[in-house]
Structures are given as C-alpha cells and as structure tokens.
Amino acid sequence: MLDDQTTVSTFLLLLDLAGTFVFAISGGMAGVRFKLDLFGILVVSIVAATAGGVLRDVLIGAIPPAAINDWRYIVVSCVAGLIVFRWHHVIEILQHPVLIFDGAGLALFAVSGTSKALTFNVDPIGAILLGVLTGTGGGIMRDILVSRPPTVLRSELYAVTALAGAAVVVCGDLVELPPRIVALTGASLCFGLRLAAIHRGWELPFARSRQ
C-alpha cells in the first residue's frame, strides 16, 4: 500500500513539473513577444507556471503550496525562462508556439490538478473544477501581466478542453482504472481538443452586438 502511494505521489510530481515547464515556456514566449527584459521574462515564466498550482493547493489545504515549498518548481520555471530568452528564435519556428505550449500546460495541469484534488478526498465535481482552475490559472495570470485579455475568456475552446480532461480523470478514478493510463488519456484528450480548436476555430457561442 505504501509503495502504491509513493508511486502515485511520484507520478503526480512528474506531471506537475512537466506542466510547470511547458507553462513557463508559454509565459516566457509571451514575455518575448511583448519585449520584456530577462527579469520580466523570468517573472512571467514563474507566474504562468505556478499560479494555477498555488491556487489549487490553497483551496485543498495543501499548505504551504508545493510551488513555494519545493525548490524544483522555481528552478524548472527559471530554466524554462532562460531557454526561451536564449533560444526563443528556435521556438518561434513552431506555428503558434505560445498556444502550443499553453495547450500542453493546460492539459498537464488539468490532469495533475484533478488527480491531486482526488488524493485530498475532494468530491468528483469539486475535483473537476479544481482541475480546470489549475489548468487555466497560470494562463490567466500570464495574460494579465502582459496586459492582454485572458485567453480563457476570448479564445477558441479553452476551459472546456480542461473540463474534458479533468472529467476523464474523475471517471477513471470512479471505476478504479490505473491512474497513469487515465492521466495520459485525459491529458491527450485535452491537448488534442485544444489543438483542434485552434486549427479549426472552434469556439463557444458569444453575444453579438447589433453594431
């Protein structure tokens, strides 16, 4: 039983760190596009990578939050920011690099946030909501720091994709499927839906002005 708990904890940590890295990349690229200096890029990278996880941990009572209490989160964020500062021209080769890394971070954090909420005995609906919050929180703070409307409020399907990934994790937990398979399935669904939404322009209905 102890070995199983250790394996799950390690897997959640790896998911969290992977999400931290890719979200930090998206934050750094946003900083580059808005012509921030090295310090500004690092700040946006750290905030984008940790804000969602900090909010999640505060709400589930995991105090102090892992992103503050574990040096690895800050180091991973800073390394990602330095990579962007030095090689952003290489990353720019990818089409819509910020959106791609943001989608990957969204998927990983939605899954890890939901999984961690479940380990803290949060009910299924609450776990899904915390997964969505974890996935979208960093992107919201990143966009606020660079003074643009948050992607979650104006873009193609965003929070809905996180909702789908989180729901897969909760359903898998309810039927006791292997956590790693469920997490990978949920993350793949979320990331795939996000990329499809970007490519095809899928979006929710919005109010249209008569003008």
Side-chain angles (χ1 to χ4, degrees):
M1 182 66 176
L2 185 59
D3 290 340
D4 290 341
Q5 291 177 344
T6 301
T7 300
V8 171
S9 297
T10 302
F11 181 65
L12 289 177
L13 175 63
L14 291 176
L15 278 179
D16 245 7
L17 291 176
T20 297
F21 181 79
V22 294
F23 249 136
I25 292 286
S26 80
M29 289 303 298
V32 168
R33 288 189 170 185
F34 281 83
K35 302 186 184 304
L36 303 184
D37 61 15
L38 174 60
F39 180 74
I41 289 172
L42 291 177
V43 168
V44 178
S45 294
I46 292 171
V47 171
T50 60
V54 169
L55 287 172
R56 173 202 63 205
D57 288 352
V58 169
L59 290 175
I60 64 177
I63 304 297
I68 297 174
N69 196 44
D70 190 333
W71 60 269
R72 288 172 289 193
Y73 288 87
I74 301 300
V75 169
V76 167
S77 301
C78 287
V79 168
L82 291 173
I83 289 173
V84 169
F85 182 78
R86 178 64 180 84
W87 290 291
H88 61 87
H89 57 285
V90 177
I91 300 174
E92 281 284 4
I93 295 174
L94 297 172
Q95 185 180 16
H96 307 304
V98 174
L99 294 178
I100 292 173
F101 283 105
D102 180 72
L106 176 70
L108 291 169
F109 270 174
V111 166
S112 68
T114 306
S115 299
K116 187 167 185 176
L118 290 172
T119 64
F120 276 75
N121 299 316
V122 177
D123 68 83
I125 299 299
I128 291 175
L129 294 178
L130 283 171
V132 174
L133 176 63
T134 307
T136 60
I140 291 173
M141 293 304 299
R142 175 201 64 213
D143 292 342
I144 290 174
L145 285 177
V146 297
S147 301
R148 68 182 181 189
T151 303
V152 67
L153 301 179
R154 62 178 173 81
S155 188
E156 304 87 357
L157 295 183
Y158 192 82
V160 173
T161 65
L163 185 68
V168 168
V169 174
V170 167
C171 291
D173 180 73
L174 291 175
V175 297
E176 300 182 351
L177 293 175
R180 279 172 287 190
I181 294 176
V182 171
L184 291 174
T185 302
S188 298
L189 175 63
C190 178
F191 186 57
L193 286 174
R194 179 66 186 132
L195 290 185
I198 294 170
H199 179 67
R200 298 181 178 274
W202 293 343
E203 57 187 19
L204 294 175
F206 57 92
R208 298 182 182 274
S209 171
R210 291 184 178 180
Q211 298 178 351

